[in-house]
Amino acid sequence: MNQDALKRAAAEAALAALHPGEIVGVGTGSTVNHFIELLAGIRDRVPGAVSSSQASTERLLRHGIAVLDLNEVIAAGRPIPVYVDGADEIDPSLAMIKGGGGALTREKILAAAAGSFVCIVDRSKCVDVLGRFPLPVEVVPMARELVAASIRAIGGEPCLREGFVTDNGNLILDVAGLEIRDPLGLERTINQWPGVVTVGLFAARGADLALVAGAGGIERRERSRG
Ligand code: 5RP
């Protein structure tokens, strides 16, 4: 199976984790694009989705799936039992690097709003230690160089994602050279630098369930509690 077929297999497996009749949180990326297509096949059981990016919103609407406003959903007390999204890397504790598609801020918001985070990946995304994939950091434009200097001070090599503006009007610095042995500590550190909107480390709120597609089928990895 090629990588795209594995992504589709992981997306298929996520359908079983959904709660029929409930709103679904939808991430961003090529794996999620498969999920959106598959979701369209069961749209009679999906009252709507909350979306993590303009790109996913457009795709959901094209597939006839209603896109709901997160503020209205929360104000109405409606649950979002499951958020489905991909990852750029995932470690054994189900901490992740995300943001390869630049949607990390809205992805983190939806992950926080949902009852459960289901991560869909092919096996190539599984690593022992996060950091081979450059870590995306969304920054307010005027703070770009200030944040870049702080990144260099902790041993990272920041690189501006050329020609890219996030859905929130900000920039992305992709940070190479980090071996992330303490994802939660690094997430907290970078998050509190002025000018940082979001760091693409998802450790404080990692995945609850990873559906990993490999040559032998789907492996379910659950977050250990306690
Ligand atoms: C987008 C993301 C994606 O989940 C991540 O980049 C994985 O993408 P793909 O499914 O295309 O491999 O975080 O911001």
Side-chain angles (χ1 to χ4, degrees), residues 3 7 27-33 52 85-89 97-105 107 120-122 125 133 136 161 202:
Q3 192 185 22
K7 288 181 177 193
T28 297
S30 56
T31 315
V32 165
N33 288 346
S52 62
D85 200 355
D88 299 301
E89 282 186 351
I97 287 182
K98 292 185 45 53
L104 59 164
T105 296
E107 291 173 344
I120 50 176
V121 285
D122 65 87
K125 307 291 187 67
F133 188 93
R161 199 176 292 185
F202 285 57

Side-chain angles (χ1 to χ4, degrees), residues 126-216:
C126 297
V127 297
D128 287 332
V129 179
L130 300 172
R132 202 175 16 150
F133 188 93
L135 176 66
V137 181
E138 180 167 351
V139 296
V140 172
M142 75 166 282
R144 184 191 71 208
E145 287 306 320
L146 181 68
V147 173
S150 298
I151 288 169
R152 286 189 199 97
I154 61 163
E157 299 150 30
C159 177
L160 179 67
R161 199 176 292 185
E162 289 291 345
F164 187 86
V165 176
T166 70
D167 286 349
N168 313 306
N170 297 312
L171 303 175
I172 300 273
L173 294 172
D174 289 303
V175 183
L178 296 174
E179 196 179 82
I180 306 172
R181 297 204 170 264
D182 175 14
L184 181 59
L186 188 63
E187 181 179 10
R188 287 185 176 147
T189 297
I190 296 179
N191 259 342
Q192 46 91 32
W193 292 339
V196 169
V197 179
T198 306
V199 56
L201 268 173
F202 285 57
R205 204 295 182 248
D208 298 291
L209 171 65
L211 297 170
V212 181

